[in-house]
Amino acid sequence: MKVYPDGTVALRGVDFHLRKGEIHGLLGENGAGKTTLMKILAGVLKPTRGVIEVNGRRVVFTSPSDALKLGIGMVAQYPALVPVFTASENIFLGLSRRMVSRERLVKLMNETGLKVELDAVAESLPMGVRQKIEVLKMLYRGVRVLILDEPTTNLTPVETEELFATLKKLRDQGVSIVFISHKLKEVLSITDRITVLRRGVVAGVVETSRTNPEELAKLMVGREVLFEIKKKPVKPGGEVLAVEDLWVRGDSGEWAVRGVSLAVRKGEIFGVAGVEGNGQKELVEAVTGLRRVEKGRVVFLGRDVTNRGPQELYKLGLSHIPEDRVAMGLIVNMSIIENAILGLHWSREFVNSFGVFKNKRIVEHALKLVKEYEIVAGNLNSPARSLSGGNQQRLVLARELSKNPSLIVAANPTRGLDVASTEYIRRKLVDLRDQGKAILLVSADLDEILELSDRIAVMYEGRFMGVLDSKEADVRLIGLMMGGYTLEQARGMRGVENA
Amino acid sequence: MLDGRLKEYLTGFAEVVVAIVAGMLIGGLVMVIGGYNPVDAYYQLFVPSLTTGYGLEMTLSFATPIILTALTFAVGVRAGLFNIGAEGQMYMGALGAVIFGAITLPSILYLPLEFIVAAVLGMIWGVIAGILKAYRGVNEVVSTIMLNWIAYWIVESMRVYVIPNPVDASKTVSVPPAGRLPLLVEGTELSAAIIISILVLIFTYFLLWKTAIGYEIRAVGYNPLASRYAGINVRRVALYSFIIGGFTAGIAGFCEVAGRPPSYAITTGLSNLMGLGFDGLTVSLIGYNHPIGILLASIFIGAMKAGSRNMQIYARVPLEMVQTVQGLIIIALSIPGLLRIISRRIGGVR
């Protein structure tokens, strides 16, 4: 049991058993308590009540190093390497001199198949490799119980497959692995057993071979979740947004978008996939008037709107669901009511000709949004930060859609949300498409792109690797494109394999 | 269940009470060490100035300009700016009012023109810092400190060379009786200036919380990135904030010249104005940069100013000790507000 200082009970009477040489999935929604449980096992947090036993012996951890001594090590969601150190320096960091042996490290790499270039500087390496370094770091310290917290968040599909192969190999060598995730497919494909947490309690422990996605989803959210979102066949209309040979700089002046062209039509969802940091953020900001376009044109409903401000674009019928709702989509210190009119605060519906707010109208508007979008909010005068993540995003969505837009630009709209809110928002986007809205969906979540989009572009280093119809899209093809192959190259490879 | 905002107000109020008690305890300790009776001293400091008619009138007259300069700072903080230029903007406002002592006009025009010119000069002084900040990225702390001193010397040389008082070299010309605000109570310093001050306070409250411009100011102060996303012109909002702040500070200068007997002028070395801008900063910090808090805090500080004479005369505490004790209380009161601003600056957007 674990009670946080603010009184939140994160875990309540949880039993968790890990066997030697198994990959054990820990599945649950955001806030189910997965990370808390593992932090307790790794000695980072102390339980309020309850015991931990290792190999039948009762232990008390006062720090992560206690856990490490007993062979329990955790790899956090984001690799925490020293960016300017080399791989080997990072692995040896903190060890006494007599523990440092490059030969032993090379031997370990050969045994486990976890091979990295030891003299490469960490910051120059892709995320997948950094993850491997973290795992090596743990193994080098003699860890026999490896806890991985959402290890695939930052990996491309190809890197994920590699990681999985490694994990299976380690398991066969007797290492026990806890695999924390909320991605059903991954958990099903890699684990031997699965513990499902729901709001701090164990909802079920199942053998992976004897379960299916529906059962897991049911355990996770406590009700039937339909993962298949039904879409009507696409009936695209006229062009709403056209981007022609767009060039945009990133924050440090480098070219982040290099000559992207695209068109979004009425009644379709145009998805942009890609590993984060390949220019998607800059593309979205350029289209929504937040970042300067250096070269190229943005045409919205037949009008050239290149480098026009957001206020003007909103008036023309743009809605922008930004990537980071806390930093950009909301002003979390302002009330829910005030956030309901963010960006609409000059609309004649809410202010009179002297710029004075029409209070009654604004409150009615906020109430309508809260009701229509099932936002769970206590008091509409309390600050937006009091809402949960899912409800914050619903508020953003509600406000943006209340503009009755003709184009919706959505960037990672379901990031970090629980299953129920994710489903709600995805359904809503499809509804809007069916109503004839044009939607530009930029997301690092491949499932989301595949599930929702009618056409898919893959962005890599500021360019589109190709645009394909959702019918011919599959994870492998897109994965290759995310890794830097053009559509033609990727198709060619598949041809060879099939032959 | 408590309303979230009400709860915030209550914790804020509790914080202030704790700070006052802490400041008074430390001040009391200092007085005990110095050999004075703290109970007697505190009684004389606060009780007459808040309970007797005359004391209350003095308290309010001291509060009048501080309310206005506090609004300058508050509107700055609301927009995420640390505008400490109220001092100089107030000097310029006072200058704008006092020059009418040297001009002959139909009686009825004096007060409106003094008001307008004072407000305009205050706004101009504010907008200089605003333009430097918005379009040149000049830190507003540096520019406003410099502008304060420029204003000081402009007004001081005007006093000496352009509008000196022909019969009293220690001050400028006085505004004529037609250009003075009526006294509310004869024999005190409480004039209609307090009414103007409170009207401006209400106006500022209304502007910040009931209009789109005020909404933009507060939005930018909380989160510039989200404000840009909302289509708010962040630079222009900084200008608005400086203009509104310059307006209220300019009115403070007007109130001191047109509303404070006996001089109705600016005295040597700006001695009747000096410090009122920084008193406003303190009041704003104590009052959570909120108009209601500012009103209460300015009455508190006004009472301390009014009570300091009683403390000297009846509790026999020397002026230096009075100032030390008051300083300790004010420091204790400002700490929470200062910490909030600092953490916001360090913490960035969140």
Side-chain angles (χ1 to χ4, degrees), chain A residues 10-17 24-29 31-34 37 184 193-207 211 214-223:
Chain A
L11 295 172
R12 215 185 312 252
V14 167
D15 292 323
F16 180 77
H17 300 276
H24 194 125
L26 190 56
L27 192 67
E29 288 191 274
K34 306 179 298 261
L37 175 59
L184 296 177
R193 280 199 309 154
I194 302 168
T195 295
V196 184
L197 283 182
R198 183 165 77 222
R199 275 177 236 115
V201 297
V202 174
V205 182
V206 293
E207 299 280 334
T211 186
E214 285 73 31
E215 188 192 7
L216 287 179
K218 229 156 75 182
L219 288 173
M220 231 162 103
V221 293
R223 66 181 173 87

Side-chain angles (χ1 to χ4, degrees), chain B residues 245-284:
Chain B
F247 170 77
T248 66
I251 301 305
F254 162 76
C255 286
E256 281 306 277
V257 166
R260 182 165 313 271
S263 69
Y264 295 104
I266 300 172
T267 54
T268 316
L270 277 50
S271 55
N272 62 337
L273 302 177
M274 208 156 191
L276 294 177
F278 289 107
D279 286 345
L281 194 159
T282 314
V283 162
S284 184

Side-chain angles (χ1 to χ4, degrees), chain B residues 154-168:
Chain B
I154 288 176
V155 176
E156 183 67 354
S157 44
M158 291 286 277
R159 181 186 69 77
V160 176
Y161 299 111
V162 185
I163 43 170
N165 194 315
V167 295
D168 181 352

